[in-house]
Amino acid sequence: MTDSRFDLLCLGEPLGEFNATRAESGAFLFGHGGDTSNCAVAAARQGMSVGYLGALGDDSAGHSIRGLWKREGVDDSHVATHPSAPTGLYFVDHGPSGHVFSYLRAGSAASLYGPRDLPRDLIRSARIIQASGISQAISASACDAVFDAFDTARKAGVLTAYDTNLRLKLWPLTRAKAIIHAACAMADIILPGLDDATQLSGLNNPDAIADFYLGLGARVVALTLGHEGSLVATPVRRERFRPIKVDAIDATGAGDCYDGAFLAEYLRTGGDAFAAGAYANVAAALSTLGYGAVAPLPRRADVEARIAAEARS
């Protein structure tokens, strides 16, 4: 798939994941993470052609991530291998308030990525390019790379999608607000989560939050509401999607799954944001049925089967 037209290009930092299990104290499962990488895999599992932009270390975690992408059909031909900087890692613990993240990513290969590394012709040929607040929080050069990629895309008529994905361990709220809101102003599709959006906008009502992001110029706002489902809004219509019932185990990658499934279905339906919201709402719920960010991500057949079952019930 090298240099071909991709449905989706994702830009950011892939990570090695150590996810704590409840079965045995002190035990961790190794897996793969990084919000935009999770989004890429989720979209690929829905049948989209997906490529990734960024950098990895020449280490076991980096090699494992490339192996994952190969198995999942995510093109990594534009992901650099840094000769000395490591692949970032993170740990997930599960407490009474949900999952808690700890990171080992300072000086990672992805944090050294910058505008000079962008394959601009590839970006111009894609249908959507996706990035996040985390993509920009890891370094100044990575932050600039997202702005440059979005500018390149918009000038070429390529859609831009942005997940606010606020991580206050990576940067202070004041800086995060300024950068994230500037990026949102360049995004056609904004994919915030309720908790992040509340901190970033100062609002807590889902409709008010949707209005806030539409006011920045978005065509579509798809706001995830955790256990309450999601809200999709455009300048002329909005719809609330109630959650389906699942026995959730781990919601580590649920928001990223929502992003990938939403963007995949948005493209498949020719830009129907509400069909995409209904589809992604189910996909995200199914992604909580196993441990880790990637392993439980559902495939299209799983999502369609559950949608059919919900329609019969």
Side-chain angles (χ1 to χ4, degrees):
M1 286 193 294
T2 302
D3 289 332
S4 63
R5 175 184 168 93
F6 290 104
D7 293 318
L8 176 65
L9 285 175
C10 296
L11 169 59
E13 180 171 38
L15 296 166
E17 174 191 81
F18 291 90
N19 200 307
T21 68
R22 295 192 178 99
E24 181 182 348
S25 177
F28 289 84
L29 292 173
F30 178 78
H32 309 94
D35 60 340
T36 56
S37 178
N38 299 339
C39 173
V41 173
R45 289 191 179 185
Q46 310 318 307
M48 294 293 105
S49 62
V50 183
Y52 200 85
L53 305 178
L56 290 166
D58 187 11
D59 49 32
S60 59
H63 299 160
S64 182
I65 290 167
R66 288 193 189 274
L68 167 75
W69 287 338
K70 184 175 182 179
R71 294 190 298 273
E72 298 292 344
V74 175
D75 186 277
D76 69 344
S77 58
H78 292 274
V79 177
T81 297
H82 197 283
S84 57
T87 302
L89 303 173
Y90 75 106
F91 297 80
V92 187
D93 289 301
H94 305 276
S97 300
H99 44 273
V100 179
F101 297 93
S102 303
Y103 298 96
L104 288 173
R105 70 198 313 176
S108 68
S111 72
L112 303 179
Y113 194 86
R116 67 189 179 282
D117 302 306
L118 291 170
R120 289 179 177 79
D121 286 344
L122 190 71
I123 292 169
R124 295 184 187 102
S125 72
R127 298 176 70 189
I128 297 179
I129 182 165
Q130 184 259 359
S132 76
I134 295 175
S135 303
Q136 296 191 284
I138 57 175
S139 71
S141 64
C143 178
D144 291 344
V146 172
F147 283 134
D148 197 316
F150 274 20
D151 183 61
T152 299
R154 288 169 69 86
K155 287 177 178 175
V158 174
L159 294 174
T160 51
Y162 191 83
D163 186 329
T164 54
N165 230 347
L166 178 65
R167 293 288 186 271
L168 292 178
K169 290 183 178 180
L170 295 176
W171 53 0
L173 182 59
T174 300
R175 187 187 311 155
K177 283 183 179 180
I179 297 297
I180 289 173
H181 290 166
C184 285
M186 301 176 72
D188 297 298
I189 301 168
I190 301 178
L191 300 147
L194 180 61
D195 290 345
D196 293 349
T198 295
Q199 293 185 78
L200 290 165
S201 69
L203 304 168
N204 54 29
N205 177 275
D207 284 299
I209 289 169
D211 289 337
F212 174 84
Y213 286 109
L214 289 171
L216 295 178
R219 298 186 192 184
V220 178
V221 176
L223 174 67
T224 53
L225 304 172
H227 298 300
E228 298 299 318
S230 60
L231 170 69
V232 175
T234 69
V236 297
R237 177 184 165 194
R238 64 188 59 197
E239 187 170 343
R240 184 79 169 261
F241 298 96
R242 300 295 175 182
I244 63 169
K245 292 182 179 180
V246 295
D247 294 323
I249 296 174
D250 178 14
T252 299
D256 307 330
C257 178
Y258 184 95
D259 290 1
F262 184 95
L263 296 174
E265 193 67 3
Y266 186 82
L267 289 175
R268 195 185 73 85
T269 59
D272 186 336
F274 301 97
Y279 183 90
N281 204 57
V282 174
L286 295 180
S287 76
T288 68
L289 297 177
Y291 284 110
V294 173
L297 293 172
R299 300 186 184 275
R300 177 167 290 279
D302 303 320
V303 182
E304 290 179 342
R306 184 57 185 264
I307 290 172
E310 291 291 319
R312 292 191 299 269
S313 64

